[in-house]
Amino acid sequence: MAKQTFTTGQVLTAAQMTSLQQTAMGGGSTTAKTTSYVLVAADAGTTVAMNAAGSTTITVNTSLFSAGDSVFIQNWGAGTCTVTAGTATVTTHGSLALGQWEGGTLYFTSSSAAIFFDISQSAGMTNPMTTTGDTIYSSSGSTPARLGIGSTGQVLTVASGLPSWATPAGGGGKVLQVVSATYSTATTISSTSYTDTGLSLAITPTSATSKVLVLINQPHAVVRDTNAVGGYLQLLRGSTTVWEAIDATFTITASSTDTVLGLVSNISFLDSPATTSSTTYKTQGKATTTANNGNTRYQYDSRTSNIILMEIGA
Amino acid sequence: MDNHLVKAIKKLKPNSEFSFIEDNYATIKWDVLEGEAPTQKEIDAAIKEVKADEAQAEATKATAKAAAEGKLAALGLTTDDLRALGL
């Protein structure tokens, strides 16, 4: 009900008590407006409801209300209704522009000043998350954006002013992972073309800037009935040769049948694969000649070869 | 270190180049091959020939050695006498 001035001894009716109760509960009598409106003193304690398709205003002037008075303002219409300071001062933390189904309480702190407590029903933030582990960050101002979960071992970092998941650099020069393998299957190569020795191992670098230290020791032998024979050895990353002996790694000068020279070749090579994909390293060998039954043998007589791959942080 | 498989293949295909694993015929990979690849049966037969050739060579060598030692003995010499002469 509108603000009343009661007098001593006045008897309140049931209707007045009901109206007072409604007002106390935030409801009460409602004055529907369809055009812009200027508040009057009789609006104190009532609800002013705007219902217009177009934009409207509700203007607040001085000397109409007392400190402690309040007016409930609602906007039912599709048009924006703006609470406008006329000669009075109106402050708010929220917005004085009310969309449809929004409203608030205009509370007077004096006859010339009011605070508008916006209870507008904001649509809230649209949740950008889609997957377990997602996080939300501001991509620009108050615009939320999704950051998908990173990979195992990654850490949250900042790139170009935005958060992202990244593989830790490892501090430089630190061993990030070690893989190793052994191989004991004898491979005989009677060919002057490079052929797989059977020794291979894959590693998946955690960072494209990492280096891979390749350590290999591989027993092999050269065999020929007569005259000299040599063997070559090369290291490949995938199908790319990254290291190659520039000359025969071992040579014998034989004058008797089935002359054999056995030894162990060692390779230490620091590679820069520049990838985070699985990368396979392997060795290939060949003989300098196949005449007089010349050949080279790797893991000969089932001797064990070793390969160790170490990822070194950049 | 057995070199019989290499010798057998080269005996059948002298200009071939190849590799294999653990002396296993099924793993032979040909880099250079003129004509058809020999069958395992052909290779097995060739291995026998290689071994026979080696045995024959060893026997011939032993026979020659025995004959030489016989000739030395007929002259009243031994192999130690030849070593003493620096031969």
Side-chain angles (χ1 to χ4, degrees):
Chain A
M1 71 186 299
K3 180 184 177 185
Q4 304 289 311
T5 301
F6 297 103
T7 58
T8 304
Q10 182 177 346
V11 177
L12 297 180
T13 66
Q16 287 174 315
M17 289 302 297
T18 299
S19 181
L20 277 172
Q21 183 178 247
Q22 287 178 323
T23 302
M25 291 179 174
S29 61
T30 300
T31 305
K33 308 296 181 186
T34 56
T35 59
S36 293
Y37 177 68
V38 179
L39 293 177
V40 298
D43 292 324
T46 69
T47 298
V48 176
M50 182 62 71
N51 189 358
S55 297
T56 57
T57 59
I58 293 178
T59 302
V60 185
N61 290 326
T62 60
S63 304
L64 296 172
F65 303 94
S66 302
D69 286 349
S70 61
V71 179
F72 304 101
I73 296 175
Q74 300 172 351
N75 181 24
W76 300 357
T80 299
C81 176
T82 303
V83 177
T84 305
T87 56
T89 301
V90 179
T91 56
T92 186
H93 175 69
S95 172
L96 293 175
L98 304 176
Q100 190 174 29
W101 315 127
E102 294 181 344
T105 300
L106 191 62
Y107 179 83
F108 287 86
T109 55
S110 71
S111 62
S112 60
I115 304 169
F116 184 68
F117 292 94
D118 183 4
I119 53 171
S120 61
Q121 299 177 33
S122 170
M125 181 182 71
T126 301
N127 184 359
M129 295 186 293
T130 61
T131 309
T132 302
D134 285 354
T135 54
I136 301 173
Y137 69 95
S138 168
S139 60
S140 175
S142 60
T143 303
R146 169 183 175 269
L147 176 61
I149 187 67
S151 303
T152 300
Q154 288 190 312
V155 297
L156 190 62
T157 186
V158 176
S160 302
L162 295 174
S164 60
W165 295 103
T167 301
K174 291 183 179 177
V175 176
L176 303 182
Q177 61 169 317
V178 178
V179 293
S180 64
T182 60
Y183 190 70
S184 303
T185 303
T187 299
T188 299
I189 300 172
S190 181
S191 176
T192 54
S193 300
Y194 272 119
T195 304
D196 290 350
T197 67
L199 182 64
S200 71
L201 182 62
I203 188 171
T204 304
T206 58
S207 171
T209 60
S210 294
K211 295 183 183 301
V212 174
L213 178 60
V214 183
L215 302 173
I216 289 174
N217 60 73
Q218 187 165 27
H220 55 185
V222 284
V223 183
R224 194 182 182 192
D225 292 351
T226 58
N227 300 324
V229 61
Y232 285 82
L233 192 64
Q234 68 175 5
L235 173 67
L236 292 90
R237 180 206 322 121
S239 59
T240 303
T241 300
V242 294
W243 177 89
E244 180 181 18
I246 58 175
D247 199 349
T249 51
F250 41 86
T251 301
I252 60 173
T253 302
S255 58
S256 60
T257 299
D258 284 352
T259 299
V260 176
L261 175 65
L263 47 78
V264 176
S265 283
N266 294 291
I267 299 174
S268 300
F269 182 76
L270 187 61
D271 190 33
S272 300
T275 181
T276 56
S277 299
S278 177
T279 303
T280 299
Y281 290 87
K282 67 178 181 181
T283 59
Q284 289 185 330
K286 67 178 182 180
T288 55
T289 179
T290 62
N292 303 113
N293 300 319
N295 63 83
T296 67
R297 298 186 178 194
Y298 299 84
Q299 298 83 234
Y300 67 96
D301 290 345
S302 297
R303 286 173 169 79
T304 300
S305 292
N306 296 283
I307 179 170
I308 300 171
L309 304 177
M310 305 172 75
E311 181 185 359
I312 310 297
Chain B
M1 188 176 296
D2 191 342
N3 204 29
H4 293 140
L5 181 53
V6 171
K7 290 181 178 178
I9 295 172
K10 296 293 276 187
K11 187 178 184 75
L12 295 169
K13 298 288 180 180
N15 297 320
S16 65
E17 295 194 3
F18 51 88
S19 61
F20 56 83
I21 296 171
E22 300 284 22
D23 288 344
N24 184 347
Y25 169 84
T27 67
I28 296 175
K29 185 168 77 71
W30 301 98
D31 289 333
V32 177
L33 175 63
E34 295 172 349
E36 294 293 316
T39 65
Q40 184 166 6
K41 190 174 181 180
E42 291 171 333
I43 289 179
D44 288 342
I47 288 175
K48 285 183 180 178
E49 291 178 17
V50 167
K51 288 180 177 178
D53 291 345
E54 287 180 351
Q56 181 60 46
E58 286 297 319
T60 301
K61 190 175 175 182
T63 300
K65 182 180 179 183
E69 287 174 343
K71 291 176 184 176
L72 285 175
L75 296 173
L77 297 173
T78 66
T79 53
D80 289 338
D81 294 327
L82 296 181
R83 289 195 189 94
L85 294 172
L87 298 175

